[in-house]
Amino acid sequence: MTSDHDMLWRRCALLGRVLLPLVDQEPWRQARRHETLKARGIHPATGERLIEVFAALAAHAVALDASLSAAELDALPLEAVADAATGKRDYELLAGLPDTFADDRDMQAVKVFRLYAYAGGQHSHQLFLLGRELRHALTVLSDRLPMPSPSCGDAFRQASEAGLTQ
């Protein structure tokens, strides 16, 4: 049986996985993001995977701070996730994670994020830049959704309509 805490992480990880495909509905967005990542010395595939896990970590941190259950995550405003992406310290995003992950890719990405966060220097600076990219992606998505103060649930519905969820 899966605990609510594990389910909360899975929902947050899903948000991270669908975010960039939702933003990339305009093909030029991905190309521009790749150019930006390369200019900052970040391999695009690595940067995008770190943006995915960054989104999951930010949503998870805000949900834990607000004592939200997995079922309540849908009500979490995307703006709160964006604020956490640039307002919380990297190590704050790592607090309260599950001990194990159902998806090995999540476990690996969290380990890389943790390594970057604690290595400092260039890696820490890259996380700062990726946090800004994440905030930008969340802002683009929020602006695109047709309701005021869009939430994670709105993003999940959009992703489901686009065939991006399992």
Side-chain angles (χ1 to χ4, degrees), residues 62-84:
V62 175
L64 288 180
D65 288 350
S67 300
L68 298 179
S69 68
E72 297 168 319
L73 183 69
D74 282 7
L76 183 66
L78 291 177
E79 183 178 1
V81 179
D83 289 346

Side-chain angles (χ1 to χ4, degrees), residues 6-132:
D6 290 336
M7 286 303 300
L8 176 63
W9 170 256
R10 288 181 186 179
R11 295 286 289 163
C12 293
L14 177 60
L15 177 66
R17 280 192 292 280
V18 301
L19 175 64
L20 293 179
L22 284 173
V23 168
D24 291 346
Q25 289 178 4
E26 299 154 316
W28 60 267
R29 290 196 182 275
Q30 183 181 49
R32 182 173 288 169
R33 184 175 54 253
H34 286 186
E35 288 173 17
T36 301
L37 291 171
K38 286 178 189 176
R40 294 175 175 168
I42 303 169
H43 188 276
T46 302
E48 288 184 343
R49 183 61 183 129
L50 283 171
I51 290 169
E52 285 179 19
V53 77
F54 208 140
L57 290 167
H60 190 259
V62 175
L64 288 180
D65 288 350
S67 300
L68 298 179
S69 68
E72 297 168 319
L73 183 69
D74 282 7
L76 183 66
L78 291 177
E79 183 178 1
V81 179
D83 289 346
T86 55
K88 286 190 174 280
R89 305 286 301 219
D90 303 335
Y91 59 85
E92 290 177 299
L93 298 174
L94 294 166
L97 288 175
D99 294 327
T100 59
F101 297 90
D103 185 335
D104 286 341
R105 285 190 57 209
D106 289 344
M107 180 178 63
Q108 183 68 25
V110 167
K111 285 180 179 180
V112 170
F113 186 96
R114 183 176 284 127
L115 177 66
Y116 275 41
Y118 291 112
Q122 177 185 352
H123 295 295
S124 184
H125 182 67
Q126 287 180 341
L127 285 182
F128 170 77
L129 297 172
L130 292 170
R132 288 182 27 193

Side-chain angles (χ1 to χ4, degrees), residues 137-148:
L138 288 163
T139 300
V140 167
L141 181 59
S142 293
D143 290 347
R144 187 179 291 147
L145 293 172
M147 64 283 304

